[in-house]
Amino acid sequence: MSSILKVIEKLKLNVLNIEDVPESFSSDVYKLTLARGENVFVKIPFNKDKLFREFQILETLKDVIPVPKVLDIWYGDETITGALLLSAIQGVPCTGVIDEKLSFQIGMYHAKLHEVKAPGYGYHLTDGYKLLEQNNWRLHIQSNFEKWKEPCKEILDPELYERCILHFDRVFSALPDPDGPCMVHMDFRPGNILVNGNEVAGIIDFESARGGSSEIDFTKVNRYIWEVNPRTKIPFIEGYQSIRPMLALERALPLYDIYDAFSSVVWCKNRGIEKNQTFLQENIAILRNSVGY
């Protein structure tokens, strides 16, 4: 709580009420009610790069799709990474039933995001734009997976681990050509899509967004929208295709399912296995399902 009080002081805010925002896994997010009755959000990112990345991307997207407006930024000190002061969007996370009309709209906004060109495959850092090695998306995916092998080997049972390695190599070779570099969200799931009634009100949480290939951005759509209600898939794709062509999903999804789950297992290891046990088990189940084990 001390960090939010310091941010309030630095941003010179007159605050009536402070609320924690649950389900924020990487950054600390607070909802503030200001003295004049207006609600705003303060986001204290996990590190300085995430602060700068989200700031840059929200500025880039403000006239493209509905995103929070950056009202102020504090660049932090030796104890706090910094903070963004964001406008409140009138809406709630889209965690209820998603019907065909809403799915079409979500697909359309997702495509509008992917239509934004990026300077290269890479991401904003505090000191500029960092390109991936050789500006090569495929090399980036392979080297990340390589990096995750050792920590995953410590957690997964040996048979599952071996099957995952073989499966990754097989589905990697079947990938379509990458598109982009375009803006990808990296965590495009219902919790980050705000709705007001049956309309999309806003998209939030761009701290991991970057210039990438759109293929990486459908894993969570598939997992948390299409698999929950298969009737949403066709309208989503129709909404998406009203803006830009859809890539060969059936070739991209198997690779990114295992890539995302491997990444999540490592995340749980780094952030504490005990307190992230539910998320860890969810991702181990995804790996088992991916490789038929």
mmCIF file of all heavy atoms in Angstrom, residues 24 44 63 142 234 274 293:
data_model
loop_
_atom_site.group_PDB
_atom_site.id
_atom_site.type_symbol
_atom_site.label_atom_id
_atom_site.label_comp_id
_atom_site.label_asym_id
_atom_site.label_seq_id
_atom_site.Cartn_x
_atom_site.Cartn_y
_atom_site.Cartn_z
ATOM 1 N N SER A 24 -4.813 -8.880 -11.504
ATOM 2 C CA SER A 24 -3.709 -8.217 -12.192
ATOM 3 C C SER A 24 -2.443 -8.938 -11.763
ATOM 4 O O SER A 24 -1.963 -8.781 -10.649
ATOM 5 C CB SER A 24 -3.664 -6.738 -11.795
ATOM 6 O OG SER A 24 -2.614 -6.110 -12.456
ATOM 7 N N ILE A 44 1.147 0.367 -11.580
ATOM 8 C CA ILE A 44 2.573 0.356 -11.213
ATOM 9 C C ILE A 44 3.160 -0.912 -11.806
ATOM 10 O O ILE A 44 2.953 -2.010 -11.286
ATOM 11 C CB ILE A 44 2.750 0.384 -9.683
ATOM 12 C CG1 ILE A 44 2.029 1.600 -9.073
ATOM 13 C CG2 ILE A 44 4.238 0.392 -9.317
ATOM 14 C CD1 ILE A 44 1.986 1.613 -7.555
ATOM 15 N N ASP A 63 -6.016 6.544 -31.184
ATOM 16 C CA ASP A 63 -6.997 6.887 -32.229
ATOM 17 C C ASP A 63 -7.361 5.690 -33.109
ATOM 18 O O ASP A 63 -8.006 5.841 -34.143
ATOM 19 C CB ASP A 63 -6.451 8.026 -33.107
ATOM 20 C CG ASP A 63 -6.208 9.289 -32.295
ATOM 21 O OD1 ASP A 63 -7.045 9.594 -31.425
ATOM 22 O OD2 ASP A 63 -5.167 9.947 -32.508
ATOM 23 N N GLN A 142 12.007 -19.669 -31.625
ATOM 24 C CA GLN A 142 12.863 -20.843 -31.372
ATOM 25 C C GLN A 142 13.801 -20.624 -30.188
ATOM 26 O O GLN A 142 13.959 -21.493 -29.332
ATOM 27 C CB GLN A 142 13.709 -21.154 -32.615
ATOM 28 C CG GLN A 142 13.111 -22.258 -33.460
ATOM 29 C CD GLN A 142 13.982 -22.561 -34.671
ATOM 30 O OE1 GLN A 142 14.511 -21.654 -35.305
ATOM 31 N NE2 GLN A 142 14.134 -23.832 -34.979
ATOM 32 N N ILE A 234 -16.730 -18.494 -35.865
ATOM 33 C CA ILE A 234 -17.008 -17.982 -37.223
ATOM 34 C C ILE A 234 -17.277 -16.476 -37.192
ATOM 35 O O ILE A 234 -16.679 -15.728 -37.969
ATOM 36 C CB ILE A 234 -18.137 -18.782 -37.909
ATOM 37 C CG1 ILE A 234 -17.602 -20.182 -38.257
ATOM 38 C CG2 ILE A 234 -18.642 -18.074 -39.162
ATOM 39 C CD1 ILE A 234 -18.641 -21.157 -38.745
ATOM 40 N N GLU A 274 4.304 -22.326 -5.542
ATOM 41 C CA GLU A 274 3.226 -22.560 -4.565
ATOM 42 C C GLU A 274 2.066 -21.593 -4.779
ATOM 43 O O GLU A 274 0.917 -21.997 -4.877
ATOM 44 C CB GLU A 274 3.765 -22.452 -3.125
ATOM 45 C CG GLU A 274 4.554 -23.672 -2.672
ATOM 46 C CD GLU A 274 3.916 -25.000 -3.074
ATOM 47 O OE1 GLU A 274 2.719 -25.200 -2.766
ATOM 48 O OE2 GLU A 274 4.589 -25.832 -3.712
ATOM 49 N N TYR A 293 -0.876 -36.872 -24.105
ATOM 50 C CA TYR A 293 -0.241 -37.695 -23.077
ATOM 51 C C TYR A 293 -1.128 -37.789 -21.842
ATOM 52 O O TYR A 293 -1.482 -36.774 -21.272
ATOM 53 C CB TYR A 293 1.119 -37.084 -22.724
ATOM 54 C CG TYR A 293 1.851 -37.762 -21.582
ATOM 55 C CD1 TYR A 293 2.124 -39.124 -21.626
ATOM 56 C CD2 TYR A 293 2.255 -37.008 -20.482
ATOM 57 C CE1 TYR A 293 2.821 -39.727 -20.566
ATOM 58 C CE2 TYR A 293 2.948 -37.614 -19.432
ATOM 59 C CZ TYR A 293 3.214 -38.980 -19.493
ATOM 60 O OH TYR A 293 3.894 -39.567 -18.455
#
